[in-house]
């Protein structure tokens, strides 16, 4: 008699050419990740060869009940670390039956910005540091914290090892390997300052692929925490008080910044970011005012600052970049619940396309 685990791990390629494609999209809240699966006649590696599909947008807050059909357009393919074999994860964006992007489709506008010849010529690279918090399922309290109580103060937990300092490493390592298997350009993980909080990094990735990879990495993490019976939170300040918040620091460079003389290009780009500070803050995640207080390695939300090696600034430039006269910078303002399509494209738009008047 087969066990459930035996059936889940069946290798389809032993008996059929057919594959399973998990279509993934962003739901109506802008942070809820939805998905459903379909059978395809054989392996597919090109998203343009995949069929469009539809779903009930009235059940995701993306369409009215009387006209509820939303169309999924496949945009990027990843290997499925859960079903394995030739099965795939498919990142999609969402349109009306008439072919218009729905309001929550942030990928559409990002794709327009990244396809602009001036942006494409600069080959923008992104490295996104996605912080998150693991919560105990029934009490929604951080993993490793005493129920209804608090652990010792911050200090021992960052990049720590040990059963009294590091909580959830099995989930984190499973996620790391699953992302590598899927083809996500995940570049590292670490335990964060607040116990129960972790970070993974995606990149360097070019243009819109960075955002596709962050969304797929988030989906994989949601699935792994589902298996583990743990709740995943992207809240930028999950615990009030003297505890670090959660961000999505966005490292960025263009070809001009990476070439000789790039430091001057970086300074001009950072100056432009400062001139559009309010617009960027408005697009950098919900609840960010609870995180950007000027404490806990953040700059105050109302003030734009930048500096070399300064983790209390809005934008940080690394010592190596200053020393080499070229490199990249880090926008530390985005919250952990930011939309990577919005943030990556907005940084490119402001630093490459926008002309101050």
């Amino acid at each position: 008699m087969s066990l459930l685990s035996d059936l889940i791990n069946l290798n389809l390629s032993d008996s059929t050419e057919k594959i399973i494609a998990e279509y993934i999209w962003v739901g109506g809240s802008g942070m809820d990740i939805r998905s459903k699966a379909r059978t395809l006649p054989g392996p597919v590696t090109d998203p343009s060869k995949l069929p469009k599909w539809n779903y009930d947008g009235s059940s995701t807050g993306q369409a009215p009940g009387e006209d509820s059909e939303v169309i999924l357009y496949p945009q990027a393919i990843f290997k499925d670390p859960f079903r394995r074999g030739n099965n795939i994860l498919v990142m999609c964006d969402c349109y009306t039956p008439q072919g218009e992007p729905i309001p929550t489709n942030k990928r559409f506008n990002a794709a327009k910005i990244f396809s602009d010849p001036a942006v494409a010529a600069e080959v923008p690279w992104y490295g996104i540091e996605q912080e998150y918090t693991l919560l105990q399922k029934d009490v929604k309290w951080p993993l490793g914290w005493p129920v209804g109580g608090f652990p010792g103060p911050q200090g021992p937990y960052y990049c720590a090892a040990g059963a009294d300092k590091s909580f959830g490493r099995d989930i984190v390592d499973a996620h790391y390997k699953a992302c590598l298997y899927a083809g996500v350009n995940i570049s590292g993980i670490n335990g964060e300052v607040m116990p129960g909080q972790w970070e993974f990094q995606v990149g360097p990735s070019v243009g819109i692929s960075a955002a596709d990879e962050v969304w797929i990495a988030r989906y994989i993490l949601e699935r792994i925490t589902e298996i583990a019976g743990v709740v995943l939170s992207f809240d930028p300040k999950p615990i009030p008080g003297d505890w670090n918040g959660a961000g999505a620091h966005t490292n960025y460079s263009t070809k001009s910044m990476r070439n000789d003389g790039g430091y001057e290009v970086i300074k001009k780009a950072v100056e432009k970011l400062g001139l559009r500070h309010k617009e960027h803050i408005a697009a950098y995640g919900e609840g960010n005012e609870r995180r950007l207080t000027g404490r806990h390695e953040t700059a105050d939300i109302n003030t734009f600052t930048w500096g070399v090696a300064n983790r209390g600034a809005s934008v940080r430039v690394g010592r190596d970049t200053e020393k080499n006269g070229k490199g990249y910078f880090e926008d530390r303002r985005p919250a952990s619940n930011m939309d990577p399509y919005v943030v990556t494209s907005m940084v490119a738009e402001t630093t490459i396309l926008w002309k101050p008047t």
Side-chain angles (χ1 to χ4, degrees):
M1 175 67 73
S2 292
L3 299 174
L4 186 60
S5 60
D6 297 327
L7 298 173
I8 288 172
N9 292 317
L10 276 176
N11 185 352
L12 295 181
S13 59
D14 288 344
S15 59
T16 180
E17 283 287 308
K18 294 179 180 179
I19 69 158
I20 301 171
E22 191 79 26
Y23 279 45
I24 300 163
W25 70 97
V26 181
S29 75
M31 272 306 293
D32 53 321
I33 309 174
R34 310 286 180 130
S35 75
K36 61 177 186 171
R38 66 182 297 167
T39 305
L40 298 175
V44 184
T45 56
D46 181 353
S48 68
K49 299 291 195 294
L50 288 167
K52 294 173 184 173
W53 205 8
N54 65 73
Y55 67 92
D56 171 18
S58 70
S59 296
T60 62
Q62 293 172 295
E66 65 273 11
D67 187 15
S68 64
E69 193 166 284
V70 179
I71 312 300
L72 293 168
Y73 286 32
Q75 299 292 357
I77 292 175
F78 299 83
K79 292 171 67 178
D80 186 339
F82 304 102
R83 297 187 177 106
R84 299 190 288 275
N86 292 320
N87 304 301
I88 55 175
L89 305 178
V90 183
M91 191 67 211
C92 304
D93 60 352
C94 306
Y95 296 79
T96 67
Q98 294 73 38
E100 296 295 320
I102 65 172
T104 54
N105 179 354
K106 305 303 182 185
R107 193 185 192 281
F108 179 80
N109 188 59
K112 286 203 298 186
I113 291 169
F114 284 120
S115 62
D116 185 289
V119 175
E122 284 289 352
V123 196
W125 289 2
Y126 296 90
I128 298 172
E129 306 171 31
Q130 175 69 72
E131 295 178 336
Y132 60 93
T133 308
L134 299 174
L135 305 177
Q136 301 169 56
K137 183 179 176 183
D138 295 326
V139 292
K140 301 291 178 70
W141 199 238
L143 206 62
W145 290 37
V147 175
F150 294 86
Q154 296 184 152
Y157 310 108
Y158 174 70
C159 295
D164 59 341
K165 297 180 286 292
S166 180
F167 312 109
R169 189 184 298 276
D170 53 347
I171 292 169
V172 174
D173 207 44
H175 176 250
Y176 195 175
K177 292 179 178 178
C179 283
L180 286 171
Y181 178 94
V184 172
N185 190 23
I186 187 170
S187 46
I189 55 100
N190 62 267
E192 269 303 330
V193 176
M194 188 183 87
Q197 192 178 84
W198 292 83
E199 172 184 304
F200 65 87
Q201 302 95 31
V202 168
S205 298
V206 178
I208 204 163
S209 64
D212 286 336
E213 290 175 13
V214 169
W215 273 118
I216 289 293
R218 286 174 171 178
Y219 172 80
I220 292 171
L221 186 54
E222 288 276 16
R223 288 282 303 275
I224 290 171
T225 53
E226 173 190 322
I227 293 167
V230 170
V231 173
L232 172 62
S233 172
F234 291 109
D235 190 296
K237 185 73 173 179
I239 305 295
D242 198 14
W243 304 98
N244 274 35
H249 300 157
T250 300
N251 299 275
Y252 170 72
S253 70
T254 63
K255 183 187 284 187
S256 299
M257 295 174 191
R258 296 187 293 270
N259 289 341
D260 290 343
Y263 192 49
E264 291 305 312
V265 180
I266 287 172
K267 287 196 285 188
K268 289 175 184 173
V270 171
E271 183 181 333
K272 290 168 81 173
L273 287 174
L275 293 172
R276 296 191 76 196
H277 178 62
K278 285 186 179 178
E279 293 93 325
H280 278 255
I281 287 294
Y284 274 13
E286 294 291 326
N288 214 7
E289 71 283 350
R290 293 183 281 118
R291 167 181 163 261
L292 296 180
T293 60
R295 299 182 64 218
H296 305 111
E297 301 181 64
T298 71
D300 181 82
I301 195 168
N302 297 309
T303 308
F304 182 86
T305 59
W306 78 277
V308 176
N310 183 357
R311 282 181 161 74
S314 310
V315 170
R316 180 185 67 87
V317 175
R319 287 276 179 218
D320 283 349
T321 296
E322 181 189 44
K323 178 183 175 184
N324 297 332
K326 59 185 176 183
Y328 71 97
F329 65 82
E330 175 193 41
D331 190 340
R332 297 178 61 82
R333 297 171 295 172
S336 50
N337 60 2
M338 62 80 160
D339 188 322
Y341 293 128
V342 173
V343 170
T344 57
S345 61
M346 194 174 193
V347 170
E349 181 184 35
T350 294
T351 58
I352 300 171
L353 299 178
W354 183 66
K355 309 294 183 190
T357 53

